[in-house]
Amino acid sequence: MTIKEICERFRICGDYTACTQINNGIINKSYLVTYRCDGQERKYLVQRINRAVFRRPDKIMQNVVGVTEFIRAKMLAQGIDPERRVLKYAETADRKNYVLDSEGNYWRLYNFIDDSVVYDEATDAEIIEQVGKAFGEFQNYLSDYDAGSLYVSIPNFHNTRRRYDLFYEAVMVDAEDRAGKVKREIDLCRSHETLATKLSIMAENKEIPLHVTHNDTKSNNVIFDREEKKALAVIDLDTVMPGLVAYDFGDAARFICSDAPEDELDLSKVKFNLEKFRALTKGFVGALKGRLTPIETDTLALGVYTMTVELAVRFLTDYLNGDTYFSTNYPGHNLDRAKCQLALADSVYGKLDAMREIVREYAK
Ligand SMILES: Nc1ncnc2c1ncn2[C@@H]1O[C@H](COP(=O)(O)OP(=O)(O)O)[C@@H](O)[C@H]1O
Ligand SMILES: [Mg+2]
């Protein structure tokens, strides 16, 4: 099917006029399409859902439509114009939010937020604060959404306890005969185990409430107004699942507040930056003021440490398994990534008290 044919299955006003591919994302294929409706130009984004990653795109669509319509209703009730603030998925004639093409691919169509920009890397404090605010507001809008009603697209995604079990299995099997070379890294992972598995055990014991989490809180999943440097909307919602606020916050901080890329070779450069953390916390926690329970507030900093160690363990597990999950650019790439996350985990660990203090300051 052509993009035009796909578009025509959705119920949208006017005539199709143009289409260009957007090459930014890495998971889904995206196209910008233009329509003319009552003499006015309208822009939409048409996106093919990655079937290799998501087995049940129909269920994913139920999740994303559920949460975006929930947010939209709240915005309308608050007198906020939702047009550029939340995604709106078009429907087909038979009231579905996707089109299934002849090759078995799922497509969706939603509002393109024009005059906007995304930041692949956020280094400026103002931008970091806005990214934090966008994800914090997302959490805030969904704080009373029934997280249990969501389809779990990736089971055990942040079950750190289980990630460790898989890691030990990989060490034992040692499929590529690599474990002997990475004894030091294996021991380092082991040394983090007790503290890094604390959150997932608390979650399992229902000591911390489950909420809707985004699970991909990178800076380029927040759309900004091009002129104003103000965050408009959170996008890339395919991984919304039940989880802990600390997961979203922790993963955002892990990614944004590190001064080095995820595969930095010079480990002396890998440091957790408290100034960036302050900016992110100001935005995120500020947006959730009064919504967080005391235990959630207490565990946000631990979330950063947990997400960092968890990723180190996953990189090292994949290295031991022969690089079957993460795509790599060279042999040993996953090992370098694991070393880098372990260095970051050390830096985070040394700053946990200061981080807790910063969180408390903005939670007041
Ligand atoms: N509604 C939108 N309006 C404007 N640009 C968008 C919109 N949705 C996505 N984009 C652009 O397309 C890119 C990829 O979209 P995204 O949904 O994040 O897919 P991926 O899963 O591939 O990262 C984004 O980084 C952004 O630049
Ligand atoms: Mg994205």
Side-chain angles (χ1 to χ4, degrees):
M1 270 167 108
T2 63
I3 300 294
K4 182 166 186 265
E5 283 166 342
I6 288 159
C7 290
E8 281 165 352
R9 298 269 298 276
F10 287 102
R11 300 200 313 180
I12 39 176
C13 164
D15 301 311
Y16 177 97
T17 53
C19 168
T20 48
Q21 190 170 349
I22 301 177
N23 291 316
N24 218 351
I26 46 164
I27 300 292
N28 301 308
K29 235 183 177 159
S30 307
Y31 299 85
L32 166 62
V33 298
T34 315
Y35 267 68
R36 183 153 282 277
C37 167
D38 298 335
Q40 287 206 338
E41 191 176 69
R42 299 251 174 109
K43 289 182 181 172
Y44 298 98
L45 206 131
V46 175
Q47 201 172 54
R48 192 185 74 187
I49 306 175
N50 185 320
R51 259 196 312 162
V53 177
F54 301 107
R55 300 276 153 78
R56 291 293 305 266
D58 54 330
K59 299 246 184 206
I60 299 279
M61 286 314 292
Q62 254 174 34
N63 280 355
V64 300
V65 171
V67 300
T68 51
E69 287 306 308
F70 194 83
I71 294 174
R72 165 180 306 274
K74 282 202 178 170
M75 284 181 170
L76 286 170
Q78 290 169 2
I80 297 170
D81 178 3
E83 180 64 31
R84 303 181 79 215
R85 303 296 309 278
V86 63
L87 300 182
K88 168 89 184 158
Y89 296 89
E91 274 187 351
T92 59
D94 54 354
R95 300 205 155 270
K96 290 203 170 69
N97 294 97
Y98 57 84
V99 165
L100 183 56
D101 73 12
S102 42
E103 285 157 35
N105 290 309
Y106 287 76
W107 296 82
R108 58 187 165 205
L109 184 148
Y110 49 97
N111 50 325
F112 180 82
I113 302 172
D114 214 359
D115 301 317
S116 66
V117 58
V118 295
Y119 297 93
D120 286 323
E121 268 176 63
T123 46
D124 177 284
E126 232 180 301
I127 301 289
I128 293 174
E129 184 186 331
Q130 286 290 314
V131 170
K133 185 166 178 248
F135 286 121
E137 280 179 353
F138 183 80
Q139 281 282 340
N140 195 21
Y141 277 121
L142 297 169
S143 58
D144 54 343
Y145 192 95
D146 177 13
S149 68
L150 291 171
Y151 161 68
V152 178
S153 50
I154 312 171
N156 294 309
F157 191 49
H158 286 312
N159 185 341
T160 319
R161 179 60 268 154
R162 199 180 134 77
R163 296 284 186 191
Y164 263 96
D165 294 342
L166 295 173
F167 163 66
Y168 287 129
E169 211 176 293
V171 174
M172 213 163 64
V173 173
D174 196 14
E176 300 287 316
D177 204 15
R178 291 175 170 179
K181 274 182 284 182
V182 295
K183 275 210 170 77
R184 184 172 174 272
E185 287 70 27
I186 292 172
D187 284 344
L188 282 174
C189 285
R190 215 175 253 136
S191 73
H192 288 296
E193 182 173 350
T194 308
L195 189 56
T197 52
K198 195 173 159 187
L199 266 187
S200 65
I201 293 168
M202 286 172 89
E204 205 157 294
N205 294 340
K206 302 196 164 47
E207 290 166 41
I208 315 177
L210 283 181
H211 285 296
V212 182
T213 43
H214 181 280
N215 291 308
D216 195 7
T217 48
K218 289 198 293 279
S219 54
N220 62 9
N221 283 330
V222 174
I223 298 239
F224 276 74
D225 183 90
R226 200 200 306 269
E227 302 298 326
E228 280 195 67
K229 277 198 179 176
K230 284 267 183 294
L232 293 170
V234 167
I235 59 163
D236 215 347
L237 308 171
D238 297 329
T239 49
V240 288
M241 279 184 274
L244 305 182
V245 176
Y247 295 158
D248 267 4
F249 178 73
D251 206 36
R254 177 195 67 75
F255 182 77
I256 293 168
C257 308
S258 164
D259 279 334
E262 255 173 29
D263 52 4
E264 175 63 56
L265 295 175
D266 180 355
L267 298 182
S268 70
K269 288 189 186 153
V270 182
K271 296 223 163 61
F272 190 77
N273 182 319
L274 278 182
E275 282 318 302
K276 290 181 182 172
F277 181 73
R278 174 176 286 282
L280 185 79
T281 307
K282 187 177 176 195
F284 188 95
V285 175
L288 276 165
K289 214 172 261 182
R291 286 269 186 222
L292 295 169
T293 62
I295 192 148
E296 283 179 315
T297 307
D298 275 353
T299 49
L300 286 187
L302 181 60
V304 185
Y305 171 77
T306 305
M307 293 295 99
T308 312
V309 174
E310 185 183 281
L311 191 58
V313 167
R314 290 178 65 197
F315 282 143
L316 194 58
T317 303
D318 201 34
Y319 176 73
L320 291 166
N321 286 341
D323 311 307
T324 55
Y325 182 82
F326 296 105
S327 64
T328 50
N329 299 337
Y330 57 89
H333 198 176
N334 274 324
L335 176 59
D336 288 340
R337 287 165 168 159
K339 285 181 180 170
C340 185
Q341 288 299 310
L342 284 167
L344 186 62
D346 271 343
S347 177
V348 171
Y349 183 79
K351 290 172 182 170
L352 276 175
D353 284 341
M355 290 161 68
R356 279 193 202 101
E357 205 41 58
I358 292 171
V359 168
R360 258 182 239 129
E361 201 180 304
Y362 291 104
K364 263 189 241 152

